[in-house]
Amino acid sequence: MVAAIIAGVIVYRTQTGYPNEAIASTAQAAEALAIQEKDHAENEAKLATSRELAAASLSNLDIDPELSILLALQAEATIHTIESETSLRRGLVVSQLKFALNTKNQNIQSIAFSPDGTHLATAGNGGYIQIWDTMTGLEVLELDSVPEYTDIT
């Protein structure tokens, strides 16, 4: 809107005989203002997206806490807002997820806990087995030369 008014002023000044320097100066000011307005609009769009994702995160807390956390993380990645931070904190409190295993198996076929519950074994295609510490989620052993298996339980 402001740029259109300034453009109208430039046309008027051109028709009434203003010097080219004055017209150029007005055009530069209009360009700077347009860039500033564009930046402001982009920031407002990021804020709106972040707040929308945070609201979706909060609405999913009781249904799917892990999805809630993912939505809150995306909101934070878009732009930090108090809403995105709050939704992330609330999602982390509600979630039962303790850690995610970063397994090298592309297709896990079997999972088993040790009798005392301190370790977890995952087995996948090609006989590849990984042993995990259930308290930390860290891999403690990997076996990649185990022959084909049917079940590790």
Side-chain angles (χ1 to χ4, degrees), residues 81-136:
T81 62
I82 192 68
E83 294 87 355
S84 64
E85 183 178 336
T86 300
S87 65
L88 180 57
R89 289 178 185 272
R90 289 185 61 192
L92 290 172
V93 168
V94 172
S95 175
Q96 297 298 311
L97 184 65
K98 300 301 177 201
F99 54 81
L101 301 176
N102 187 16
T103 179
K104 295 175 183 167
N105 288 315
Q106 292 185 357
N107 189 8
I108 294 177
Q109 300 290 320
S110 185
I111 297 175
F113 282 93
S114 64
D116 63 0
T118 60
H119 292 92
L120 171 72
T122 59
N125 290 345
Y128 189 82
I129 297 174
Q130 290 175 280
I131 310 295
W132 307 87
D133 182 316
T134 57
M135 293 301 290
T136 64

Side-chain angles (χ1 to χ4, degrees), residues 5 44 52 68 75 92:
I5 293 170
E44 289 295 316
E52 182 178 352
S68 177
L92 290 172

Side-chain angles (χ1 to χ4, degrees), residues 24-44:
S25 175
T26 305
Q28 287 175 341
E31 180 184 15
L33 183 60
I35 290 170
Q36 184 179 18
E37 286 179 355
K38 178 184 88 62
D39 291 344
H40 180 71
E42 288 173 353
N43 190 55
E44 289 295 316

